[in-house]
Structures are given as structure tokens and as C-alpha cells.
Amino acid sequence: MSHSDHRPGTLIHGGAVFPHRHLTGIEGLQPHEITFLLDEAEQWVEANRSHAKGDGRLAGLTQINAFFENSTRTLLSFEIAGKRLGADVVNMHAAQSSVKKGETLIDTAQTLNAMRADVLVIRHMSSGAVKLIADKVDCPVLNAGDGRHEHPTQALLDALTIRRRRGAVAGQRVVICGDLLHSRVARSNILALTALAAEVRVCAPSTLMPPAIERMFVTPYTDFDAALEGADVVMMLRLQNERMEGALIPSPREYRLRYGLTPERLARAKPGALVMHPGPMNRGVEIDSSVADGIQSAITEQVAMGVAVRMACLDVLTRRARGVEGWA
Amino acid sequence: MTLAITNARIVGPDGETRGTLLVEGERIVAIGAVEVPDGVETVDARGRWLAPAIVDLGVFAIDREACRRGGIVRVALMPDQSPVLDDPGMVQRAALVGRPDLWIHPLVAATRALAGHDLAEIAFCQQAGARAVATGRGWIADTAVMERVLSYARDLDLAVVTHAEDGALVAGAVATAGETATRLGLPAAPAVAEALAVARDLMLAEATGARLHIRQVSTAAALDLVRAAKRRGVAVTCGITPAHLHLSDIAMSDFRTFAHLSPPLRSEADRQACRAAIADGTIDVIASGHDPQGPEAKRLPFADSAPGMAGAETLLPLALMLVRDGLCDMATLFRLLATHPAQVLGLDAGTLTVGAPADLILFDPEAPWRIEGDRFASAGNTPFDGLPVQGKVLRVWKGGRELRG
């Protein structure tokens, strides 16, 4: 298996800084390419706080958000990002039942392609589905979450949040706690944070821990208190409602007993450690309200960073099509 | 009708014989330094190999042309058909549909509709041509049902062909738990699911005295159980397909659905254990697991795709790699490809001896070619697509009659 097989997109001739056609995952991105996307996002962080929140650089381009799985926050974030850059944004909600069959998925990809979208943002409930579509279309594809596989823009916005709040990602001790088994957020974050030289600890009950996770250069813990020792960042994952009642954990309250981020637990981390959560939160289960709303929380800032990071990704991935100097 | 194949390297049950093989009617009448009578149709093998034609134990589709190209003249057809082979009429039809070129030996479903509850009419189906009982693609979860299947099959002297994966552990899984599945975010089951299923079925086979054939064993732990059971004298045999000998779960990287198999590809350590089990004789049968799937079943997200690979055309070259790698010799390889599967099915076939049916292949083990799925007879879903291999079937005879494409 050659290295190029793992790259998320094919190389664009002459594109040196960010030579990928798609963003299907963090896997395959070089550390400097991740840093480049974070640097690009910084300008939009500032702009989003002003009256003129963007510019019209994507004017005339059509951005289709094809969401095969329900989403409110991510869809909204991509829609706002596209509109602030002047793109014509169209949302396609594909009902889950009608896309369960794959012919439809390939057919949908070809339909979207025939409509001459300039950039596609795709979320799908099956791991690998976004890559399958990316291989079939002519325009750049952004992965907005595929199954348990990857959610790259979430990892980028988390890295940006950490970098801005802690000064750097390298050397930070980051604890990711929760349902790692089913989490694409965790996979993308592990890849991005380890690429940027953070020390990553993962914590979950063994029923929610992916096998061989240590092969992704993280240290697994089942004891949350031990994992929190000396942590700079505590990243909590959402526990899906359907997984709370007996199958994988006995009950929400027992989950909270062992893995809930309470003020007492947070005190085991470094003073001033950053608290993060990709949302939506189960308050009182994986995170207590006093922590979520407390001074150490960066949770609303993550949402703001999300828009900036997605603006940067949309901008960068369409530069070739827009004929931006040095990218064409 | 008489046929003489001269100057051949003949793969006999005990090793290689050089010389001539003489066929009269449908059967072999002489092997070795034979005087060829005048006026007999003679094929000069020019020093190439003559072996028993392959008996493929466990295919999911009837694919005559792929079988002919692959040197396969008999297949055991899995009961997972539409409709399921749980009825004497269906079994009889399946048994006749391939003749004369391809002899199909149906495996009767162990339970009605393969649902795992009620026994199928196994004795009627045996009369209709079924050569063994099979659990199909799945495992019988109910231990009491499995005990009865084995007991009943023993009464009829039929082997029970099982799929060995604990059904509860593998529910929803499409991969073996490990680094590759974790990185890809694929639902996965621990490899021990196989050993768990094998352990139960071995104990039931031992208790009932039934003949058990585990169609695919792909993990070190399960092979250890089979090895130990054989030492105790349990009537167990087991098989494998080339994919589990040549590929590990890394082949699923990039969500290649052609590498979506059942059982799923295993770790490299398990793959090495499978190769060792070829060398020490624990594995009795190599089969293709032939299961052609079109793009509508494979051009899907990995977890939504159908498992299975088209294997008939590549079985021989992929198996010959084991000889080149020094894991077994040519005579042993054809015991795995022909003699043992015929024994499991209770067939008088699968070996080159005087009196045996003249089911023959002439092949060149060195001839190089490249596996190209889109040139296959039916679907081209092979994880070996693009692989350069050696070994080509040159001519095939079924009962002394040559098969032509």
C-alpha cells in the first residue's frame, strides 16, 4: 500500500501549499497543510466579529450541501460559511430511507455533478461514503462527516480553538473522553492533534473504546480521573441517546459517575484547562452545566471557529476553479 | 472412445509420475509407462502438468465459464440460493442444471429457509442429489438446533458444512476488530468470534459423531481448536479460500469493497497462522468461495456493500503460490483442491488413479498473466485485481470429454 493511496484527494498539478482536490479527511494531510488551513481561517475569525463578515470571493459559485444524515449545527455552519463568501448555497436533505441503497448514492453523486456544483459538502451515515462520491464528481468535495470515519472540519475548528486559547497545539496534553467507538469527531481529532504534536489521551469504558486505538499514537485510559492528570484540554464527546440504556453502558447516571465532567473532576486537570465539546451536549450526563457554562469552557467559541474554518476550506478548495493566482 | 495424454507430469495421490495417462470412456485405465495403442486420440502434454480437475467445495453461484477457465469441473453449491435449497425439487434441479460440463453437487440447507429453526427435509434432498448439509452464509445460533442437525446428518452419513462466526458477536460487523477497522471507522467484531463458533461446533460434532466440515477457518485460535480436535479423533475437516492466505485486513484500506469478505479479512498474525496450517496439514480444503457480485452490490459504502469475491478463475494460480512459497508440494495441493473436497462430499472423484473418473486438467504452473476482473466470465469482484500471477489451465476434461470455451 503506497502512501498516495491514503491521500484524501488527488494532487493538483502546481498546487504546492495545499495540493488536495478534496477534503475527505485529516488522514493524508501533512502537518504543514493542516497549519495552512488554520492560518487561512484566522482572517475569518476576525472578519466574523465585524459588520462586514466576509467578501464575495465565491460569488457566482454554487455550493451544494448534500446531507444524507440529519444535522442542524453542521449544516447551518456550512451554509453560513458559504453565504459569507458570496456563494449560492443550496441544501439537499436526502431522506435516510431513500438513500440506503447505494445505486442511489452513486446516482445522486452523478446528478449533483450534472448540476454543475462548484463545491459539494457531504454528510453521510456510512464510513467511506464521501470518498465514494468524491471519486465520481468533478468538483471539490468537503466531508461534513461520514459514518464513524472522519469529520475533518470539526478537527480543524477544534485545533484552531486550542491554538488560539493555548497559544499552540504542540505539546498540549489533550484528553478526549466519551463514545470513541462511534465517533468520527474523535478519529479526525486524533489524527489532527497528533499530527500537530499534541499529546493525546483517549478515555472511555472498554465497551466504547475502538480496538487497537493505541496504534493511532494515543494513550488509552478507562479511568477518567487518571486521564485528567495534568491535562491542558478536556474534550468531551456526545453520548448518543440510543447508546445510553443498557447495551453499551448501564445507564446515563452510571456513565456520569465514571465519565461525567464535573467541577470536581475538572480540578484534576491543569488549572485553567480548556473544556471543549462538539455539541450538542447532554447536560448532566457527559458534562455538568456548571462546567459547560464555566469560565474554562470554549464550547461557544468552537462554534464560532467552525464558521471560520469552513470559510477557509471552501475558499482554499475552490481556488483552482476560480483561477486564483498560483492555484490555477 | 479412448484418449492418451503423453509426456505429462502426472499429479498422483502419492506424488508425481511422468508418462502417459490413458482414458477409456469416462475413466482412467492406465497411468505411467503405458504403450499407446494405435489409432488413439493422443495429446502431447510436452512436459506440462496433468492433475485431477478441481472440486470446489462451496460456491454461491453457478458460473460454468468461470469454472471451466479455472479448471473446476465439480462444485458444491451453497444452499443460499433464491429460493433456498431446502426442498427436494430445488435440489434436484440444481443437481442437473450444470451437466454435462459442470457437475453441481448441491448442499442442502440444514434448516428451512436457512432460518436456523426447523430441520429441512434432508433425507429427501439427499435422494434428490444433495451431497452434504450446510448452514449457508450464517451460523446456527441455537445450540439445540445445531445438535439435532449434526445428529440427523450423521444418521444419513452426510457431512455438515458450517460457517464459523458467532452470530451475536458479528451482528452488524463488516470487518475484524483491529487498527484498520478502527481507522476506517467500520463496524467490527473481534476475531475470537470464529474460535467461539468452532469450539461449540467441534464439541457437538464430537458428542454426536457427525462429520463436520468448517468451510472457512481463518484465525489462529480456531485453527488450534481444529488441530486439537483432529488429534482427539474428531471427524472434522476444514477449509479456506486464497484471500485469507494472501491478504490481511490492510487490504480494506481506502474502503475497497472487493476486500469485503465473509468471514472478514484478518490480522497479519492470523494470516500467517493460516499459512502454517496449510504446511502442517490442519487445513484440508482450499476452495474459491466463488461469489460474483455486480457493481450494484459492490459500488457502495463499504458497510453497505455485499461480502464475497469472484474466485473460480483465480483459484489455481493463487493456490500455486503456496507451492512456490514452499508451504506444500504439488501432490498435497491437489489433495486440498480435489481429493479432500471429493471425500467430504462422498464423491468417487478428485484423484488420478486407475478406475477413477477422467476429470483432468492440463496446466502450466509457470505461465504468467495478470488478474483483471473486467475480463472475468461474470462479475469481476476480486481483491486480487491487477495482481500478476503464474499458472494457467490449458485444457480441461470432464469424464474423458474435453470442455471447450
Side-chain angles (χ1 to χ4, degrees):
Chain A
M1 184 67 47
S2 69
H3 177 72
S4 64
D5 287 325
H6 282 291
R7 297 183 83 95
T10 43
L11 288 175
I12 292 173
H13 187 72
V17 193
F18 191 82
H20 305 283
R21 192 166 157 231
H22 307 295
L23 182 67
T24 54
I26 300 294
E27 173 102 62
L29 293 187
Q30 300 295 319
H32 69 268
E33 293 165 354
I34 298 171
T35 304
F36 169 73
L37 291 175
L38 301 183
D39 293 346
E40 285 287 323
E42 291 282 1
Q43 61 182 303
W44 304 117
V45 175
E46 302 311 320
N48 283 336
R49 289 174 180 163
S50 66
H51 277 292
K53 292 186 169 60
D55 61 20
R57 63 180 66 192
L58 263 58
L61 299 194
T62 303
Q63 169 190 338
I64 301 183
N65 300 325
F67 277 53
F68 297 87
E69 183 185 74
N70 289 331
S71 160
T72 309
R73 306 159 62 100
T74 305
L75 177 61
L76 198 58
S77 184
F78 270 107
E79 184 171 1
I80 290 170
K83 285 184 168 161
R84 286 193 182 159
L85 294 173
D88 297 321
V89 184
V90 184
N91 294 329
M92 193 195 92
H93 306 268
Q96 286 198 0
S97 57
S98 72
V99 297
K100 198 82 178 110
K101 293 279 168 246
E103 309 96 316
T104 316
L105 182 61
I106 296 285
D107 288 347
T108 307
Q110 280 164 348
T111 303
L112 293 171
N113 198 44
M115 289 180 180
R116 295 264 167 237
D118 297 293
V119 58
L120 283 175
V121 179
I122 297 169
R123 168 169 287 195
H124 197 281
M125 53 289 203
S126 290
S127 303
V130 175
K131 184 191 173 293
L132 196 62
I133 294 175
D135 290 344
K136 278 272 166 192
V137 298
D138 301 318
C139 70
V141 170
L142 262 152
N143 183 358
D146 63 325
R148 311 173 179 184
H149 178 225
E150 283 230 43
H151 190 357
T153 56
Q154 178 72 42
L156 292 170
L157 75 88
D158 288 337
L160 184 63
T161 306
I162 294 170
R163 192 173 82 169
R164 288 175 63 90
R165 286 283 286 260
R166 307 288 299 179
V169 177
Q172 297 290 302
R173 176 174 289 173
V174 182
V175 179
I176 305 176
C177 178
D179 180 4
L180 285 124
L181 184 62
H182 301 96
S183 176
R184 54 194 173 215
V185 173
R187 279 172 183 70
S188 287
N189 259 306
I190 288 169
L191 292 167
L193 294 171
T194 54
L196 298 176
E199 178 204 336
V200 179
R201 296 174 168 184
V202 296
C203 181
S206 293
T207 50
L208 296 175
M209 187 73 91
I213 190 74
E214 69 283 357
R215 302 274 303 164
M216 296 182 77
F217 310 105
V218 299
T219 312
Y221 286 79
T222 53
D223 179 346
F224 195 20
D225 292 330
L228 283 169
E229 294 295 337
D232 298 288
V233 178
V234 186
M235 192 181 284
M236 302 304 293
L237 300 173
R238 174 178 168 78
L239 186 67
Q240 299 288 339
N241 292 327
E242 62 269 25
R243 303 201 173 104
M244 286 186 201
E245 302 292 347
L248 294 162
I249 54 160
S251 66
R253 64 177 195 164
E254 183 155 319
Y255 185 79
R256 180 174 181 273
L257 172 75
R258 297 185 66 207
Y259 299 100
L261 189 59
T262 59
E264 301 74 41
R265 278 234 167 78
L266 183 56
R268 293 178 171 270
K270 271 190 193 163
L274 208 58
V275 172
M276 302 173 72
H277 192 298
M281 290 180 280
N282 297 299
R283 291 171 178 264
V285 183
E286 72 258 11
I287 190 165
D288 278 17
S289 277
S290 61
V291 174
D293 304 330
I295 191 162
Q296 289 169 255
S297 170
I299 294 170
T300 52
E301 193 175 338
Q302 286 174 271
V303 178
M305 294 305 117
V307 176
V309 156
R310 285 161 187 140
M311 289 171 80
C313 292
L314 290 166
D315 171 26
V316 168
L317 289 175
T318 54
R319 281 184 191 175
R320 186 171 82 136
R322 288 185 285 125
V324 174
E325 198 182 343
W327 291 76
Chain B
M1 189 180 76
T2 310
L3 168 72
I5 301 166
T6 61
N7 293 321
R9 302 179 70 171
I10 300 165
V11 184
D14 306 311
E16 181 195 342
T17 313
R18 283 177 189 251
T20 299
L21 184 142
L22 200 64
V23 176
E24 252 179 47
E26 295 186 352
R27 299 209 169 247
I28 300 167
V29 293
I31 293 174
V34 179
E35 198 69 32
V36 178
D38 285 343
V40 165
E41 181 195 347
T42 302
V43 174
D44 185 350
R46 294 186 204 163
R48 286 179 298 220
W49 293 80
L50 190 65
I54 295 170
V55 180
D56 196 357
L57 209 179
V59 301
F60 290 90
I62 299 168
D63 196 344
R64 278 191 203 79
E65 176 58 15
C67 286
R68 189 194 60 81
R69 292 185 195 174
I72 298 162
V73 300
R74 294 170 184 264
V75 296
L77 181 66
M78 294 295 284
D80 316 64
Q81 306 296 318
S82 180
V84 170
L85 300 183
D86 61 356
D87 164 90
M90 296 309 306
V91 167
Q92 187 164 37
R93 186 181 159 278
L96 297 174
V97 72
R99 296 197 185 201
D101 293 0
L102 180 65
W103 284 27
I104 295 163
H105 303 292
L107 305 182
V108 54
T111 57
R112 283 178 205 207
L114 289 169
H117 304 303
D118 302 318
L119 293 180
E121 290 180 329
I122 295 171
F124 269 125
C125 290
Q126 184 181 27
Q127 284 183 358
R131 302 302 308 214
V133 180
T135 65
R137 293 182 193 270
W139 190 65
I140 294 179
D142 187 324
T143 304
V145 172
M146 188 60 187
E147 198 266 349
R148 288 175 212 132
V149 166
L150 286 161
S151 300
Y152 199 78
R154 179 208 51 209
D155 294 348
L156 301 170
D157 193 26
L158 291 175
V160 177
V161 179
T162 59
H163 179 86
E165 283 187 290
D166 182 286
L169 264 182
V170 303
V174 295
T176 307
E179 182 183 354
T180 301
T182 288
R183 282 182 179 272
L184 295 175
L186 293 175
V192 73
E194 181 174 279
L196 281 169
V198 166
R200 185 202 71 173
D201 291 348
L202 281 173
M203 296 189 85
L204 291 175
E206 189 166 12
T208 58
R211 281 197 290 138
L212 177 68
H213 176 72
I214 308 162
R215 193 169 64 85
Q216 298 183 84
V217 181
S218 58
T219 62
L223 286 163
D224 283 343
L225 292 170
V226 172
R227 206 173 272 123
K230 284 184 168 186
R231 274 201 295 270
R232 292 199 304 278
V234 180
V236 60
T237 51
C238 69
I240 196 165
T241 69
H244 289 97
L245 294 165
H246 297 310
L247 300 174
S248 66
D249 59 358
I250 294 170
M252 300 185 303
S253 296
D254 238 15
F255 299 102
R256 289 181 63 206
T257 57
F258 283 3
H260 181 190
L261 304 175
S262 172
L265 290 170
R266 305 298 192 184
S267 69
E268 178 61 15
D270 278 330
R271 183 180 83 93
Q272 294 297 342
C274 291
R275 294 168 68 85
I278 292 282
D280 74 8
T282 303
I283 292 175
D284 306 278
V285 171
I286 301 176
S288 73
H290 191 59
D291 194 3
Q293 302 275 0
E296 62 282 356
K298 285 291 190 182
R299 287 218 41 95
L300 294 175
F302 193 96
D304 304 332
S305 68
M309 65 170 276
E313 290 177 56
T314 54
L315 178 57
L316 181 64
L318 294 172
L320 284 167
M321 288 164 79
L322 305 171
V323 177
R324 265 197 301 284
D325 291 347
L327 296 176
C328 64
D329 61 20
M330 198 70 93
T332 306
L333 184 67
F334 277 90
R335 277 196 288 278
L336 293 162
L337 289 170
T339 317
H340 292 161
Q343 285 167 355
V344 171
L345 299 168
L347 299 171
D348 162 33
T351 180
L352 296 192
T353 48
V354 172
D359 296 354
L360 310 168
I361 57 172
L362 184 67
F363 71 99
D364 178 353
E366 313 293 335
W369 59 290
R370 185 185 291 273
I371 295 175
E372 288 172 81
D374 45 16
R375 293 186 163 200
F376 280 9
S378 54
N381 54 306
T382 171
F384 296 101
D385 198 23
L387 185 74
V389 290
Q390 284 178 272
K392 250 186 187 163
V393 176
L394 305 171
R395 302 177 76 162
V396 185
W397 292 268
K398 174 80 194 77
R401 196 178 60 85
E402 183 163 10
L403 308 185
R404 296 175 199 276

